[in-house]
Amino acid sequence: MTDPAPKPTLPAPGRVCTPDPRPGRTREPHILVAPEDDDELQQVYAWLMPSPVERAFTRAVDDAIKYVLDGSRTGRFDLMSPDVDSDERASVGTKLQYRILNELKLVKEPPLDTTILGIPVELKATVRSNWMIPTEGQCEICLLVQVDAARARYRAFLMRTHRAWLRDGANKDGKRGVMSAALAAFALPVLDWTPLPPEPLKRLTRPQLDIVFAPRVGQTERLTALFGYLPDIVVPRSSIETVCAGNRDPMRRARQAKPLVAERHGLTLLCGTWREDLELAASRGFDISGDAWVALTPEALERPGMA
């Protein structure tokens, strides 16, 4: 039995880094600098971290996923579903770049994706296990976001993606992945694994989904079933629109389900667009702002703030 080939040694600060050639631009060899000694990297990191990055990034990732799923037209709610092809899944990364720019109030501008404090920054997002860094992003500051759709979470790093810290194998476009050892050693953490907003439709069993998405059954009937299956669970507007995909005025149908939910399931259905309902839900520990809904059990109604 032969010994496995030894892994290449990770180039350390002080070593020479030689970027891949890029048409129209001279790429000079340079000395690798540790993150703590990289003034530009530290400036961008200092600008980024005082901002409410978790709220901004969570909203950006959630919006990008929902944009690709297009639930109100397709009825899809799970990025890992066989109904979502690999190209669509990969497009989340592209959509996410623009949503992050919007959330951080940055503009799209050359020479990379944006600038922070006048420093060029590349934005790379992936739903796979690694980021593919283009030649123009080599040895530049990159904001790296990774989405784990299967576990409904994401994480983010800030890193100067030196060519020496990228993998040797390139794809047909010359893009290279980040070496895992380099990520661990030389990337600054922005957010560790952070949960995404839950999608309550994922809680339903296959038989329940068949009823909630039953063809040729009215929206009100299907929404009544939905709320009955999800007591004391906040259901966002997007989930209701997904259940009613392709139909008009799903919120009106949800309102019409109120008495049916009470009669059939013994639940009190509350809507976030109504102040009285919003305040009642909040007093019981449920946030239904943003047009969300919740069907409360009698027990939840009797235990203020305990949900």
Side-chain angles (χ1 to χ4, degrees):
M1 181 175 179
T2 58
D3 293 333
K7 293 183 178 180
T9 302
L10 182 67
R15 299 280 296 276
V16 174
C17 175
T18 304
D20 289 333
R22 181 183 171 199
R25 182 177 177 185
T26 302
R27 310 297 300 274
E28 297 292 342
H30 54 272
I31 301 298
L32 292 173
V33 177
E36 59 270 22
D37 298 322
D38 188 329
D39 290 341
E40 289 187 338
L41 183 68
Q42 291 297 328
Q43 287 179 56
V44 173
Y45 193 62
W47 178 90
L48 187 64
M49 293 311 292
S51 63
V53 289
E54 181 173 340
R55 183 177 62 187
F57 278 46
T58 298
R59 189 161 46 217
V61 175
D62 191 48
D63 284 352
I65 291 173
K66 287 177 178 175
Y67 179 91
V68 171
L69 289 173
D70 197 14
S72 64
R73 292 183 177 86
T74 67
R76 302 180 304 183
F77 56 88
D78 185 355
L79 196 66
M80 302 307 294
S81 168
D83 294 335
V84 183
D85 65 42
S86 59
D87 287 341
E88 285 184 293
R89 201 172 291 122
S91 73
V92 169
T94 303
K95 304 300 180 187
L96 180 53
Q97 293 176 29
Y98 287 92
R99 277 156 176 75
I100 289 175
L101 288 175
N102 182 65
E103 288 291 338
L104 297 181
K105 295 180 173 54
L106 298 170
V107 297
K108 179 79 171 176
E109 60 182 332
L112 300 176
D113 287 321
T114 190
T115 60
I116 295 175
L117 303 176
I119 301 167
V121 177
E122 180 88 352
L123 271 63
K124 299 303 297 182
T126 183
V127 295
R128 299 189 173 96
S129 59
N130 205 330
W131 302 265
M132 298 306 293
I133 307 300
T135 55
E136 62 268 24
Q138 289 183 12
C139 309
E140 303 287 356
I141 295 173
C142 287
L143 179 58
L144 306 170
V145 182
Q146 182 181 19
V147 179
D148 181 356
R151 294 177 177 82
R153 61 182 186 169
Y154 72 96
R155 61 178 178 170
F157 302 91
L158 192 70
M159 179 181 182
R160 190 178 288 278
T161 49
H162 286 289
R163 167 63 185 90
W165 295 340
L166 303 180
R167 294 176 177 174
D168 286 337
N171 66 14
K172 63 181 181 181
D173 297 322
K175 297 179 180 179
R176 301 180 185 274
V178 180
M179 296 170 62
S180 57
L183 185 74
F186 303 121
L188 301 177
V190 175
L191 287 170
D192 199 356
W193 286 116
T194 303
L196 289 166
E199 171 50 75
L201 296 176
K202 292 182 181 180
R203 290 174 170 262
L204 301 180
T205 65
R206 185 68 259 173
Q208 290 172 341
L209 286 169
D210 290 341
I211 292 173
V212 170
F213 286 91
R216 296 180 296 280
V217 175
Q219 297 177 74
T220 303
E221 282 292 318
R222 294 189 290 111
L223 289 173
T224 299
L226 171 71
F227 292 122
Y229 292 140
L230 299 173
D232 298 335
I233 300 295
V234 173
V235 180
R237 179 186 180 116
S238 59
S239 298
I240 294 173
E241 292 174 338
T242 297
V243 169
C244 300
N247 291 291
R248 299 181 62 182
D249 207 357
M251 296 302 110
R252 179 167 174 260
R253 302 307 180 194
R255 291 191 293 271
Q256 291 173 345
K258 269 199 166 200
L260 295 175
V261 171
E263 176 186 342
R264 297 179 187 178
H265 306 296
L267 303 172
T268 301
L269 184 58
L270 304 178
C271 172
T273 58
W274 297 345
R275 178 172 294 277
E276 183 177 348
D277 283 10
L278 182 68
E279 293 175 352
L280 177 58
S283 73
R284 269 60 179 175
F286 295 89
D287 180 6
I288 58 172
S289 57
D291 293 352
W293 296 67
V294 66
L296 295 185
T297 59
E299 293 78 12
L301 281 171
E302 292 170 5
R303 299 196 305 272
M306 297 299 292

